[in-house]
Amino acid sequence: MRDVTIASFNVKNLIGADREYYRFMTYSKNEHSWKSDWLAEQVVRMDADVVGFQEIFELDALVDVIKQANRAGSEANADHMSGKISRVLRSLKYKG
């Protein structure tokens, strides 16, 4: 039997850039880009099988974060499968 990991993630007002989420409150394009990058990184780091998200104000914004996390995870897997990470770790071990 395999363990299943479940995570809960409050993303605090996820919405697209220049969209009002509370009265007079928006994210600039730069703020939104930073927030999306950070959220995607956290999703990858969680490495959970199931993630429950809170405070999603716009579904498209969440879909974009998930796509970004999927790309990052796929790149990390490709690096690992190609032996790139193993080679780096071996080189660090032998230098130590």
Side-chain angles (χ1 to χ4, degrees):
M1 185 169 156
R2 182 179 183 270
D3 291 336
V4 175
T5 56
I6 300 172
S8 179
F9 193 6
N10 185 331
V11 300
K12 298 192 179 189
N13 313 320
L14 181 60
I15 195 167
D18 301 321
R19 306 280 311 254
E20 189 173 81
Y21 56 94
Y22 289 122
R23 189 177 173 131
F24 307 119
M25 297 182 79
T26 62
Y27 294 113
S28 69
K29 288 181 183 175
N30 285 341
E31 289 169 325
H32 173 72
S33 179
W34 180 90
K35 184 175 185 92
S36 294
D37 289 348
W38 185 84
L39 292 172
E41 180 182 330
Q42 299 313 303
V43 169
V44 171
R45 292 179 76 193
M46 279 191 274
D47 193 26
D49 297 306
V50 177
V51 180
F53 293 93
Q54 295 93 48
E55 296 191 31
I56 305 299
F57 283 64
E58 187 176 67
L59 181 59
D60 288 343
L62 177 61
V63 168
D64 290 343
V65 167
I66 298 302
K67 286 179 181 178
Q68 189 174 348
N70 189 45
R71 281 190 302 272
S74 294
E75 289 171 6
N77 286 342
D79 286 347
H80 181 73
M81 296 301 287
S82 71
K84 181 178 179 181
I85 291 174
S86 296
R87 286 190 299 276
V88 170
L89 291 176
R90 279 196 304 270
S91 71
L92 292 173
K93 182 179 178 182
Y94 290 111
K95 289 180 181 180

